Amino acid sequence: MTTYHDLTGFQRNLLEAIAAVDDDPYVLALKGYLNERYADPINHSRLYQNLDQFTDKGLVNRDELDARTNAYTLTDAGQDTLYRQAETLAGLCELPRPVTGGAQ
């Protein structure tokens, strides 16, 4: 099982981007989200390499939108990874624990 701390900083940010992007989280939308948060532009190949790793680790689903575009969504394992980190941060900040639609 992959934990939040097994991921690089960029991978953590990418996982959060997939959760945050509305509609279909495809590469250009994810790139735009991340470019707003990074000083230097994000390289496409860096995105694709990490998305492939996420798919291999079972954190992300890759679904074809059309012949040239894939959408990336979190699997239950990907959501659980983010949820556990949110719980940890909420506890450290003495905030109420996050509530989700079924993540444990």
Side-chain angles (χ1 to χ4, degrees), residues 18-36:
I18 295 166
V21 170
D22 292 331
D23 299 320
D24 294 318
Y26 57 98
V27 170
L28 288 178
L30 297 171
K31 186 175 186 296
Y33 181 91
L34 292 168
N35 278 336
E36 291 177 9

Side-chain angles (χ1 to χ4, degrees), residues 3-66:
T3 68
Y4 192 79
H5 299 289
D6 293 328
L7 304 175
T8 66
F10 179 77
Q11 289 174 330
R12 294 173 186 174
N13 293 336
L14 179 55
L15 201 63
E16 292 166 14
I18 295 166
V21 170
D22 292 331
D23 299 320
D24 294 318
Y26 57 98
V27 170
L28 288 178
L30 297 171
K31 186 175 186 296
Y33 181 91
L34 292 168
N35 278 336
E36 291 177 9
R37 287 149 181 81
Y38 280 79
D40 294 324
I42 303 300
N43 183 304
H44 268 75
S45 75
R46 183 178 188 191
L47 278 174
Y48 283 112
Q49 289 170 0
N50 284 282
L51 289 166
D52 287 345
Q53 288 176 14
F54 282 171
T55 302
D56 293 345
K57 292 179 181 185
L59 297 173
V60 170
N61 288 318
R62 178 181 26 233
D63 299 304
E64 190 175 287
L65 288 178
D66 60 42

